[in-house]
Amino acid sequence: MERCDVLVVGGGLVGCAAAWHLAAAGASVTLVDAADFGLGASGQNAGSLHFQIERRFLEQGDALARQAEQTIALSRMAIEDWRGLEAALDADLHVVMDGGFMVAETAEQVTMLERKVEREIREGLRMRLLDGDEARRIAPYLSPSILAAGYAADEGHADSRAIVPAYAAAARRAGARLIGRTRLDRLQRVGGGFEAGAGDLSIRAGQLLVAAGAWTPHICAMANLHAPLYPVALLMNVTERSRTLEVPHLVQHVGRRLSMKQTGAGNILIGGGWPSRLARTADGGFDPGVRPELIGDSLAGNLRAAIDTVPAVAGLNLIRSWTGVTAVSADQLPVVGEVPRLPGFWIAGGGSAFTLGPTFARLVAQAIGGTPAPELDFVSPARFEHLNSFMG
Ligand SMILES: Cc1cc2nc3c(=O)[nH]c(=O)nc-3n(C[C@H](O)[C@H](O)[C@H](O)COP(=O)(O)OP(=O)(O)OC[C@H]3O[C@@H](n4cnc5c(N)ncnc54)[C@H](O)[C@@H]3O)c2cc1C
């Protein structure tokens, strides 16, 4: 039986980042991942560092948009975290934070944008509302059809494939034990701690952090808990390298699903939340472990939105599309913190955890170490505790 202070389940961005912070603070940490590190959502995502309120909150009406305001405090911390991350991890993560646009093409979208930017400025985000001509002066690649844009000076992007290996290496340097290709298959409360296992491996831990992305509900079920995180399947596309088109900013759309950015090599990455089809298990449930099926209409819709926003991408060949699975919660906010009914059992997942993951992993590690992190109160699993009141 191995022993550690904290067992982390899941070796994506959130798990590896939390393991690093915990080990650096002096805890003995073991992390297990079912596969190789970073093969879940963390290695499949668009790499956007988007700090403006996301469209997915705006499209659900005012109540959700108001709720999303609360994430701005976390976004402001994430800006600082990302600006220092390459130095802290001693790794090249291709971080570019030269600003981002969220554009509008109709009068209705402009109104939505105005209200959003007002909210963001009130919450302390460095934002400006630009008319179409002002936006095109900074970003000449934008279509003449763009009427207005919210400009966030700190937005940008980073290389999603570089971040997990960098966090994993830092965690190992700090003394954490990282075990790949080991799928946790049992978990129980023992005394004041937890006993977990995967095949022949048994681990006794004082505290447990579930950072298993879309698989989090599955791990929580082993401890007889509900975690309201749901798998969703998304689409990503990448074009060939462009020698002529230069898109140095993150580009999003307030009324259409779109995120665009250019890699250092010149390729344009196009995404923004277009759905793919989740695979199913034999008994009809969703299977986040199997690559989702690409939906043709999503591909066409995503590319149309990209061309309407940045017309020059129409001249580039698409070289690859892929699908990936991430987790959203019942209210779209992340779920990060200790489960009230099971002291020592922590969850960190959901939301846009490429952008915010470094921050909530740092804060949850701090809280596990005994220093409260009130910044996480609004994303605590406590808000879903009613679901577990029936769980015996
Ligand atoms: C296509 C796509 C585009 C996205 N774009 C963006 C973006 O631009 N910006 C942004 O902020 N966010 C984006 N996201 C979301 C972001 O990628 C995720 O929120 C984030 O990567 C989640 O990280 P994680 O560590 O929580 O989960 P994951 O990276 O999914 O890691 C979970 C890990 O748990 C492991 N695991 C599962 N079951 C077990 C088990 N039984 N035992 C041990 N280990 C287990 C898995 O192997 C996996 O490695 C996107 C997601 C997708 C899919």
Side-chain angles (χ1 to χ4, degrees), residues 9-15 32-36 38-48 50 182-184 211-215 218-219 222 234-236 261 322 324-326 348-356:
V9 184
L13 187 161
V14 175
V32 291
D33 192 281
D36 289 323
L39 292 188
S42 300
Q44 298 163 346
N45 68 60
S48 304
H50 44 61
T182 302
R183 181 177 295 279
L184 192 91
W215 295 267
H218 190 72
I219 309 293
M222 294 183 201
L234 302 177
L235 169 70
M236 280 303 307
K261 68 205 56 92
W322 69 95
V325 179
T326 189
S352 290
F354 186 72
T355 304
L356 298 179

Side-chain angles (χ1 to χ4, degrees), residues 16-76:
C16 290
W20 172 52
H21 286 291
L22 285 161
S28 64
V29 180
T30 300
L31 178 151
V32 291
D33 192 281
D36 289 323
F37 308 112
L39 292 188
S42 300
Q44 298 163 346
N45 68 60
S48 304
L49 301 176
H50 44 61
F51 304 112
Q52 303 189 48
I53 295 174
E54 292 173 67
R55 204 193 78 88
R56 68 191 168 99
F57 289 106
L58 302 172
E59 71 183 353
Q60 304 295 340
D62 216 42
L64 212 53
R66 263 201 310 276
Q67 180 179 296
E69 253 176 54
Q70 300 175 77
T71 60
I72 293 176
L74 275 186
S75 292
R76 283 171 34 213

Side-chain angles (χ1 to χ4, degrees), residues 8 10-23 31 85 89 163-164 167-168 171 209 357-362 364-365:
V8 179
L13 187 161
V14 175
C16 290
W20 172 52
H21 286 291
L22 285 161
L31 178 151
L85 208 51
L89 295 175
I163 182 93
V164 175
Y167 268 130
L209 172 64
T359 303
F360 64 65
R362 174 174 63 76
V364 82

